[in-house]
Amino acid sequence: MQVIRPIAITDDTLVAASIPEQDEPEFNPATAYAVDDVVQVTSVQSLYQSVSAANTGNDPITDNGTNWIRISSTNRWRAFDKQIRSPATAPGAVSYTLVATSLVTAVAVFGMTGDTVELEVAGGGETQVFTRNLRTRRQLRGWYTYFFGGFDKDPTAVFLDLPFFGIGATYTITVTAAQGGAGIGQLLYGRQVRLGRTRWGSDVTILSGSRKERDIFLNLILVKRATALRASFEVIVRGNLLAATTRLMEELDAEPSVYIGDQDTAKGLIVYGVFFDYIHRLDLPDKSEFTITVEGLK
């Protein structure tokens, strides 16, 4: 069991991006905006939509919703807005370069659209490149599915135990699509912390926001909405690490992080989210166990 504590992405840590900064016209307080006009406020990397006519001089940032509503981050910054389902996209490829301001040993990418993801770590005159093919053959259930089952594309990749070339080292992540658009839902980098050994018996469930009800005639009313993951992990650690683990979990409280039950993405035990329940038991003098429930960001 490992966790990645992300470094905050700011204008200082994001040193390059293939996606332009400007999506929409910059907000101008002297302009009269009509209903549904969209403006950009670059200082907060956000897009706002006008909800009133003759909308003049009303600052979208401080508006209470009477004249403006925030609709999303700008395309460039959607890779860092803690919402996997709203990816940063571009034709062919999406690329970001982040700089290390503290220890970095891991990079995680979620909600990818494309065929390959490449990570280049550079610093101190050294460069290492790691590449993953996102196109994988579907789960095999015999020769028929081998030949006709088709392929899936893995939307998640984690790079662990990375070399650290010091403060100022750069991490360039590029997702490439052979056809169509490429996208990144969320991109994180930071220090990985080993918590213990994940036991068999961990489980993953789906939190559904969809509406699934029956009317008085027993007809199903279905409204599809967003889903999110919930994972419960059982972890074995050394007994003398109970206090240290508990302090770490206090620091991670309400802080979105990457929880890795197993780094093999096919097992589905990698969740970007926050923990809700943490129970630690001291079973023996030299061994303890804890259970943790993590709910993923959508």
Side-chain angles (χ1 to χ4, degrees), residues 216-237:
I216 60 173
F217 302 105
L218 299 184
N219 297 309
L220 272 174
I221 301 173
L222 302 175
V223 180
K224 188 172 179 60
R225 299 190 180 112
T227 61
L229 295 179
R230 174 192 283 156
S232 295
F233 301 103
E234 297 184 8
V235 184
I236 302 173
V237 299

Side-chain angles (χ1 to χ4, degrees), residues 28 31-32 82 95 97 106 123 130 141 156 161 166 189 206 229 233 244:
N28 186 339
T31 300
K82 300 180 177 64
S95 181
T97 299
F130 308 86
R141 295 180 177 86
T156 302
D161 300 309
Y189 76 141
I206 293 176
L229 295 179
F233 301 103

Side-chain angles (χ1 to χ4, degrees), residues 98-219:
L98 309 173
V99 64
T101 55
S102 60
L103 176 63
V104 174
T105 57
V107 171
V109 195
F110 295 89
M112 288 182 292
T113 303
D115 297 288
T116 61
V117 56
E118 179 184 280
L119 168 64
E120 179 185 281
V121 183
E126 300 286 339
T127 300
Q128 289 195 23
V129 178
F130 308 86
T131 303
R132 302 276 175 83
N133 184 358
L134 303 179
R135 192 169 180 263
T136 59
R137 190 176 292 276
R138 286 179 181 162
Q139 185 69 36
L140 299 180
R141 295 180 177 86
W143 287 109
Y144 182 87
T145 54
Y146 178 83
F147 287 107
F148 304 107
F151 292 85
D152 288 323
K153 290 184 179 180
D154 196 339
T156 302
V158 292
F159 300 88
L160 303 176
D161 300 309
L162 295 174
F164 181 58
F165 296 140
I167 303 299
T170 58
Y171 299 78
T172 301
I173 300 90
T174 304
V175 175
T176 303
Q179 295 181 338
I184 293 178
Q186 284 298 285
L187 169 59
L188 309 102
Y189 76 141
R191 177 172 63 95
Q192 71 190 76
V193 180
R194 287 180 170 82
L195 301 179
R197 180 166 56 88
T198 307
R199 294 186 57 178
W200 290 106
S202 300
D203 59 77
V204 176
T205 57
I206 293 176
L207 299 173
S208 174
S210 299
R211 180 186 177 193
K212 294 168 280 190
E213 300 174 356
R214 291 187 184 272
D215 61 19
I216 60 173
F217 302 105
L218 299 184
N219 297 309

